């Protein structure tokens, strides 16, 4: 089990395959410092603690480190306007609001007094990316420190200007106030038109959690009105003078090689250009219908060389190509303990590939000027995309600017810069700004997937039903959430790499969804084999108080002890911990005895992630995780064969809709005494095993694959 | 087809050039700059592109410009008036019924159409009417609460 305070991952998890990939295209053709952008006012530059860790994780050659030593910066203009710059980006997890809350608290300002600039590589400090649930645990304290340092400095300046004791001053609502004399000065006034800047480190004292006034409370989305009135501009909405629409010709199957291209007909269309560079073929046109016509008019011949592996042979193939990669735990002697155990239970759990399907597909607008390129794109890693562009076009990074307007979500699926590179290549060739928005079919086919995997678990119990041995081998899906959360003296926990037939990468919660599903299903099996209550069996093996607390909270809210089963219905419980968050989920399902249709009637999640920053947003994130997790639990699955995706539309790939959503109940367990951990991912982990266990309770049918019942149960 | 078509959008008469083969979605977004209506699938499956045509919710990605000439089109940009937000827009904010917000405009348009038909929709009616709208962030329960809240506000207004 993770140490309670271990919330900042400093290494890249194995299953973030997309970050280790070779560049997407090899074209045959061969910072600006934000400091100088600051005008008068006060700037606080905060040196990041983990600069080197960030650098090594950027996936490319090390970038320059001078200004990159800064983790965040904050500026107070002469009129008192507060601007905060961070490399984190907004994809619906609402950090534009929660990070502003952190600064507002330290600066004693209202939330709307703070402007957040996020994910613009020319304006914000280097950041590895918005993933791993690190925005709240890592970035919020940094911004707090910057805010606190600015506040302390403003008090110094106030004491000077007002010629009073510093201790007699307070910061209230954007002013330094001397209560005794009634005199005060605004934050902006205190800078007196000077250009002040100070670099601080991580030692600044922060407002204690108990004294938060803005953070710790619910705050609605700061720019919510823009979204409900349709005025927010997503990456797909960016327009530039002379903008052309770009489309890319996709191969008929993965790995196909272009042999010949006849583009005569397409070139004859009004305003159409065709760009070919190596295996890359794209068209541009003045309008969308014309771009579609041009793409359809291309006639290409491909050499196909797809892998013979299909969804039907996936698990066999993974097993056949597995190679040991990492031992997460090797304690005691598993083989001996299994040999002498009273009962040995061995099972295999299969996990299918699934897709993120953010509702806004990949999108980018690229514009070149004087040899430099600016790209607006939806990505969780603007600096990663900058590095990709710099490599693809052989440009110094200073000549690449990536701007990330708040985008239509990501869920770990937008770490890469495909659309950005494609738009930039087309814009370079045509001399016009170009927009590339992937179609839904492209997003389903050419993005990367949540890895499929095979998990083998062998457990041994003694005569009293206590665990004595545990072996967990995960092939391909990854190592997150793989560590055994229950007490067992002998354990071997291993991750094995395998050959993946599909492009794969990060997904919300990473492999903890798969690993916790397998472990929590297995634990449930053991409890039922013994005829013991599944919750009691878990608690009996649990030493971690935080985990036990969320189990207790979820069970209490559901009414686990007094649950009353009616025919066709069942209850399940499951839980786990990852990235400093603890989740326990209970589900009640109903199985239609005639059709086999499974419906989740009710789901309860108890979640604890340290001190709560914004309860409203936290609830929203947990509910969203449960709904998304329900899709992967019950029916989401990528079908593929012969190097093609068979499920490249919402008609063929089912995602949760209104009628799938159960009554959701969220219990927040607040621990103001602990640092805040991220909440966007871990709550997704409990729902699949809770549903699977509930299906067993209802029907006696044990399901060991995700998705559990894509076409309902065979009854 | 003619070199241009005339559409009535949010009460204004607008001209769209080269309408042949152009979807209403593309006309709204690219010709008229009304980018609050979103692309999510282009095949009628997600509802991100929902607008009202003569008060009925339609998938603008599936309609061609020629099919809506002479009809009255309302997009999300046409909902708020000088008196402020439409009750459903306000309810979305009050219920925090969005995360990334990409589905929001389509959800609101489907909800507005539903409320016009049923001033007090039941939960089942809401689910049924909005089943074609996907929220990938999973804010469904909040969206239902927002529609219910807007219905309450609407009833109060018409009673008061
Ligand atoms: S974009 Fe029209 S329904 Fe999805
Ligand atoms: S809020 Fe993101 S898709 Fe609905």
């Amino acid at each position: 089990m993770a140490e309670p305070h271990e919330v900042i991952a400093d290494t890249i998890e194995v299953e973030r395959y997309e970050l280790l990939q070779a560049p997407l295209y090899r074209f045959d053709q061969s910072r600006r410092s934000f400091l100088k952008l600051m005008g008068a006012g006060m700037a606080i530059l905060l040196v990041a603690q983990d600069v080197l860790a960030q650098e090594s994780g950027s996936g490319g050659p090390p970038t320059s480190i001078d200004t990159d030593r800064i983790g965040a910066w904050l500026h107070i203009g002469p009129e008192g306007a507060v601007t905060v710059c961070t490399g984190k980006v907004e994809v619906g997890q609402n950090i534009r609001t929660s990070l502003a809350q952190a600064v507002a608290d330290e600066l004693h300002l209202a939330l709307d007094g703070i402007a957040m600039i996020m994910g613009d590589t020319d304006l914000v400090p280097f950041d590895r990316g918005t993933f791993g649930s690190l925005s709240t645990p890592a970035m919020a304290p940094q911004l707090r420190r910057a805010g606190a340092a600015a506040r302390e400095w403003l008090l110094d300046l106030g004491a000077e200007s007002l010629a009073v004791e510093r201790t007699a001053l307070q910061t209230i609502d954007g002013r330094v106030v001397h209560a005794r004399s009634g005199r005060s000065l605004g934050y902006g006034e205190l800078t007196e038109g000077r250009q002040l800047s100070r670099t601080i480190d991580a030692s600044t004292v922060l407002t204690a959690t108990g004294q938060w006034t803005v953070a710790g409370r619910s705050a609605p989305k700061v720019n919510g009105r823009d979204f409900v009135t349709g005025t927010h501009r997503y990456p797909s909405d960016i327009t530039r003078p002379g903008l052309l629409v770009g489309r890319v010709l996709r191969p008929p199957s993965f790995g196909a090689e272009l042999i010949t291209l006849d583009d005569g007909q397409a070139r004859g269309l009004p305003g159409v250009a065709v760009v070919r560079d190596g295996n890359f073929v794209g068209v541009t046109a003045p309008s969308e219908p014309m771009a579609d016509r041009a793409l359809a008019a291309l006639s290409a011949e491909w050499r196909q060389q797809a892998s013979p592996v299909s969804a039907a042979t996936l698990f066999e193939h993974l097993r056949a190509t597995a190679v040991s990669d990492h031992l997460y735990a090797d304690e005691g002697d598993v083989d001996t303990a299994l040999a002498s155990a009273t009962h040995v239970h061995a099972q295999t759990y299969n996990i299918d590939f699934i897709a993120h399907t953010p509702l806004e597909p990949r999108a980018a607008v690229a514009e070149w000027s004087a040899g430099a390129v600016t790209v607006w794109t939806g990505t969780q890693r603007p600096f990663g995309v900058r590095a990709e562009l710099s490599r693809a076009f052989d440009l110094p990074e200073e000549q690449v600017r990536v701007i990330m307007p708040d985008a239509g979500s990501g869920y770990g699926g937008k770490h890469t810069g495909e659309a950005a590179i494609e738009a930039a290549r087309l814009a370079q060739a045509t001399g016009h700004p170009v927009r590339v928005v992937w179609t839904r079919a492209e997003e389903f086919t050419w993005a990367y997937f949540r890895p499929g995997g095979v998990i083998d678990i062998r457990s041994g119990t003694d005569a009293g039903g206590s665990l004595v041995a545990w072996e967990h081998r995960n092939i391909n899906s990854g190592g997150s959430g793989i560590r055994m959360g229950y007490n067992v003296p002998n354990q071997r926990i291993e991750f094995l790499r395998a050959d993946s037939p599909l492009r794969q990468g990060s997904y919300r919660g990473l492999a903890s969804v798969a690993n916790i599903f397998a472990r929590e299903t297995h634990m449930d099996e053991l409890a039922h084999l013994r005829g013991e209550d599944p919750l009691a069996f878990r608690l009996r093996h649990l030493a971690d108080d935080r985990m036990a607390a969320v189990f207790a909270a979820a069970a209490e809210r559901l009414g686990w002890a007094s649950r009353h089963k009616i025919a066709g219905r069942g209850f399940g419980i499951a839980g786990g911990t990852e990235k400093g968050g603890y989740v326990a989920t209970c589900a009640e399902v109903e199985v239609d005895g005639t059709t086999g249709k499974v419906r989740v009637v009710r789901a309860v999640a108890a979640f604890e992630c340290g001190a709560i920053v914004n309860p409203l947003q936290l609830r929203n994130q947990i509910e969203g995780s449960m709904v998304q997790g329900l899709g992967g639990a019950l029916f989401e699955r990528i079908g593929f064969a012969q190097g093609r995706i068979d499920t490249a539309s919402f008609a063929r790939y089912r995602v949760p809709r209104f009628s799938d959503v159960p009554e959701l109940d969220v219990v927040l367990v607040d621990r103001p005494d602990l640092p805040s951990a991220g909440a966007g991912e871990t709550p997704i982990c409990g729902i699949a095993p809770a549903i699977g266990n509930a299906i067993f309770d209802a029907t006696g049918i044990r399901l060991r694959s995700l998705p559990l019942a894509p076409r309902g149960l065979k009854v | 087809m003619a070199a241009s078509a005339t559409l009535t959008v949010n009460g204004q008469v607008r001209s769209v050039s080269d309408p042949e083969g152009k979807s209403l979605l593309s006309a709204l977004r690219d010709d008229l700059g009304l980018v609050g209506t979103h692309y999510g699938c282009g095949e009628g499956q997600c509802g991100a592109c929902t607008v009202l045509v003569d008060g009925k919710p339609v998938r603008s990605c599936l309609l061609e410009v020629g099919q809506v000439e002479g009809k009255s089109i309302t997009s999300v940009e046409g909902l708020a008036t000088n008196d402020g937000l439409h009750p459903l827009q306000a309810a979305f904010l009050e219920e925090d019924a969005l995360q990334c917000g990409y589905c929001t405009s389509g959800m609101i348009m489907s909800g507005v159409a539903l409320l016009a038909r049923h001033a007090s929709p039941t939960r089942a009616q809401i689910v049924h009417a909005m089943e074609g709208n996907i929220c990938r962030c999973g804010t469904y329960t909040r969206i239902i609460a927002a529609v219910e809240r807007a219905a309450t506000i609407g009833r109060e207004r018409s009673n008061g």
Side-chain angles (χ1 to χ4, degrees), chain A residues 359 411, chain B residues 98-103 135-137 139:
Chain A
L359 202 56
Y411 323 115
Chain B
L98 62 149
Q99 285 182 21
C100 77
Y102 197 76
C103 69
C135 174
R136 200 52 186 135
C137 297
T139 64

Side-chain angles (χ1 to χ4, degrees), chain A residues 231-284:
Chain A
T231 49
H232 173 71
R233 293 289 174 263
Y234 289 93
S236 331
D237 304 333
I238 300 298
T239 187
R240 305 292 300 163
L243 183 81
L244 297 176
V245 177
R247 286 249 190 271
V248 176
L249 180 69
R250 303 293 172 190
S253 59
F254 298 124
E257 228 176 285
L258 184 60
I259 305 187
T260 59
L261 176 74
D262 177 358
D263 60 3
Q265 225 192 322
R267 281 183 195 277
L269 294 169
V272 166
V274 180
V275 180
R276 179 173 176 184
D277 187 346
N279 226 24
F280 172 85
V281 180
V283 298
T284 60

Side-chain angles (χ1 to χ4, degrees), chain B residues 38-42 44-49 59 61:
Chain B
H38 298 143
Y39 168 89
C41 69
Q45 292 284 335
C46 78
C49 66
R59 307 290 181 239
C61 68

Side-chain angles (χ1 to χ4, degrees), chain A residues 12-17 20 317-326 328 473-478 494-500 504:
Chain A
I12 294 278
E13 295 89 343
V14 288
E15 61 266 43
R16 296 199 187 278
Y17 296 103
L20 304 165
H317 176 75
L318 292 177
R319 198 180 277 289
T321 57
V323 213
S324 183
D325 184 89
H326 194 78
Y328 284 84
R473 296 169 82 234
N474 177 314
I475 303 174
N476 194 58
S477 60
E494 186 182 16
F495 165 68
L496 299 91
R497 256 172 214 288
D499 171 62
S500 170
Q504 56 184 9

Side-chain angles (χ1 to χ4, degrees), chain A residues 414-540:
Chain A
K414 287 184 181 164
H415 289 170
T416 46
E418 301 85 350
I421 292 175
E422 291 158 1
R425 186 66 189 91
L426 294 171
Q428 185 189 41
T430 55
H432 279 266
V434 171
R435 181 181 73 208
V436 170
V437 178
W438 278 20
T439 63
R440 179 55 55 193
E442 287 178 299
E443 183 68 39
F444 263 121
T445 310
W446 300 99
Y448 51 87
F449 301 98
R450 195 279 308 269
V454 175
I455 300 170
D456 295 322
I457 294 181
R458 281 201 301 164
S459 64
T461 37
D462 64 17
S466 292
L467 281 171
V468 291
W470 187 271
E471 184 184 61
H472 183 129
R473 296 169 82 234
N474 177 314
I475 303 174
N476 194 58
S477 60
S480 292
I482 200 170
R483 288 195 169 85
M484 182 57 174
Y486 298 100
N487 293 338
V488 54
N490 304 288
Q491 51 174 296
R492 185 163 56 227
I493 314 283
E494 186 182 16
F495 165 68
L496 299 91
R497 256 172 214 288
D499 171 62
S500 170
L502 297 180
R503 188 177 174 215
Q504 56 184 9
S506 306
Y507 183 91
R508 197 174 198 176
L510 297 175
S512 54
V513 172
N515 285 320
I516 291 175
F517 167 71
R519 181 165 58 246
E520 286 296 283
T521 305
H522 197 93
M523 287 296 284
D524 209 67
E525 293 174 56
L526 295 181
H528 282 286
L529 283 170
R530 283 185 47 76
E532 192 175 335
D533 178 81
L535 175 62
F537 181 71
R538 284 176 171 80
L539 292 176
R540 182 153 84 73

Side-chain angles (χ1 to χ4, degrees), chain A residues 152 285 292 296 302 314 325 367 386 408 470 481 488 609 671 685 691 715:
Chain A
E152 295 306 311
D292 288 341
W302 302 85
L314 170 66
D325 184 89
E367 181 174 71
R386 184 180 70 168
W470 187 271
V488 54
C609 58
R671 288 292 300 269
C685 300
I691 293 173
V715 282

